[in-house]
Amino acid sequence: MIFFIDSANLNEIRQVNDLGLISGVTTNPSLMSKEDVAGKNEILDHYQDICDIVSGDVSAEVISTQFDDIIKEGHQLSEIDKKIVVKVPMIEDGLKAIYYFAKNKIKTNCTLIFSPSQALLAAKAGATYVSPFIGRLDDWAKQENTGLAMLSDIKTIFDNYNYTTKILAASIRNSQQIVECGKIGVDVITAPFTSLMPLIKHPLTDLGLKKFLADYKKNNL
């Protein structure tokens, strides 16, 4: 399973990249705003800064919702760096744009997926990635694991028909959801820094290391 970080914070991205945890990055306008990145040129420069850190794909989201504007914005984003994946919302004009981008060999990430049917349509249109939002679906349904059940259904459908579109599980709220995504067999997860870093930790690891060091110190003084 490939790991991306869902962040626009350069320090977070560098830290997890230096650990070898991630292959790429996903971003959105909210994450850019959180880092006080504003204005077209500053946003484009920030995407380049992210691309300079990681070796894999970087999803850069369009803010347009009309076909012609999505195409124009998508071309601008794709020209920043070959790592850029144009992130397009699951709307009618978004699907049309994904189909256009696929024909023109521009990578896309169809975002705001909340059902297997939406993921299926995005795959048929030629999306490179589909991003099902598991945590946000759980919140809306007021029931845990609704998002994971959606992921499982999407995985079954894609396997049935050998779609090459990658399932990129998004809106991950905790480390356990990452483990569950691995059990389902999704291609990629994207998670915030606060969900990625706890994967390293376990109380027994800390206790074991403490004992090993204490025993070494006792026997070597």
Side-chain angles (χ1 to χ4, degrees), residues 36 104 126 218:
D36 294 323
N104 286 273
K218 180 177 64 176

Side-chain angles (χ1 to χ4, degrees), residues 71-83:
I71 298 305
K72 180 180 179 181
E73 192 178 349
H75 275 293
Q76 290 175 332
L77 291 171
S78 68
E79 290 167 3
I80 296 172
D81 193 283
K82 64 181 181 180
K83 300 172 187 173

Side-chain angles (χ1 to χ4, degrees), residues 1-10 12-18 20-27 31 47 49-60 81-85 87 107 109 129 166 168-169 187-193 196:
M1 184 168 66
I2 296 170
F3 282 28
F4 290 172
I5 185 172
D6 194 35
S7 177
N9 183 290
L10 299 181
E12 290 180 350
I13 295 167
R14 286 192 190 96
Q15 185 172 343
V16 292
N17 186 67
D18 288 346
L21 292 182
I22 62 165
S23 298
V25 178
T26 58
T27 63
L31 292 172
Y47 279 132
D49 290 339
I50 294 172
C51 289
D52 289 342
I53 296 171
V54 298
S55 61
D57 289 341
V58 175
S59 286
D81 193 283
K82 64 181 181 180
K83 300 172 187 173
I84 290 290
V85 177
K87 199 172 180 185
K107 294 180 290 188
N109 177 359
Y129 299 95
K166 292 181 172 61
L168 197 169
D187 302 290
V188 190
I189 64 94
T190 187
F193 184 83
L196 288 172

Side-chain angles (χ1 to χ4, degrees), residues 199-210:
L199 291 168
I200 300 170
K201 292 285 190 177
H202 194 283
L204 291 179
T205 302
D206 296 336
L207 289 171
L209 181 58
K210 183 178 180 181

Side-chain angles (χ1 to χ4, degrees), residues 37-200:
V37 179
K40 180 180 177 181
N41 290 336
E42 187 175 349
I43 290 172
L44 296 180
D45 288 344
H46 200 77
Y47 279 132
Q48 184 63 68
D49 290 339
I50 294 172
C51 289
D52 289 342
I53 296 171
V54 298
S55 61
D57 289 341
V58 175
S59 286
E61 187 162 347
V62 301
I63 58 171
S64 303
T65 57
Q66 301 296 316
F67 174 75
D68 289 340
D69 295 331
I70 294 172
I71 298 305
K72 180 180 179 181
E73 192 178 349
H75 275 293
Q76 290 175 332
L77 291 171
S78 68
E79 290 167 3
I80 296 172
D81 193 283
K82 64 181 181 180
K83 300 172 187 173
I84 290 290
V85 177
V86 181
K87 199 172 180 185
V88 181
M90 167 45 74
I91 55 176
E92 185 174 340
D93 278 21
L95 279 177
K96 185 178 179 182
I98 287 168
Y99 182 58
Y100 166 88
F101 287 134
K103 289 191 295 184
N104 286 273
K105 302 187 184 309
I106 293 173
K107 294 180 290 188
T108 55
N109 177 359
C110 187
T111 189
L112 294 170
I113 297 281
F114 291 97
S115 71
S117 61
Q118 289 180 319
L120 175 59
L121 293 180
K124 287 181 69 63
T128 311
Y129 299 95
V130 293
S131 287
F133 277 40
I134 62 175
R136 199 174 297 187
L137 183 59
D138 284 353
D139 295 343
W140 179 77
K142 296 181 172 59
Q143 184 176 351
E144 289 187 6
N145 299 326
T146 303
L148 291 172
M150 169 185 60
L151 280 182
S152 183
D153 287 344
I154 295 170
K155 180 71 165 58
T156 298
I157 292 169
F158 281 23
D159 286 349
N160 283 346
Y161 297 101
N162 297 315
Y163 282 116
T164 58
T165 298
K166 292 181 172 61
I167 302 170
L168 197 169
S171 185
I172 288 174
R173 301 292 169 78
N174 55 65
S175 299
Q176 185 56 38
Q177 286 182 331
I178 297 175
V179 174
E180 296 301 322
C181 287
K183 288 160 68 175
I184 290 169
V186 301
D187 302 290
V188 190
I189 64 94
T190 187
F193 184 83
T194 52
S195 294
L196 288 172
M197 293 305 289
L199 291 168
I200 300 170

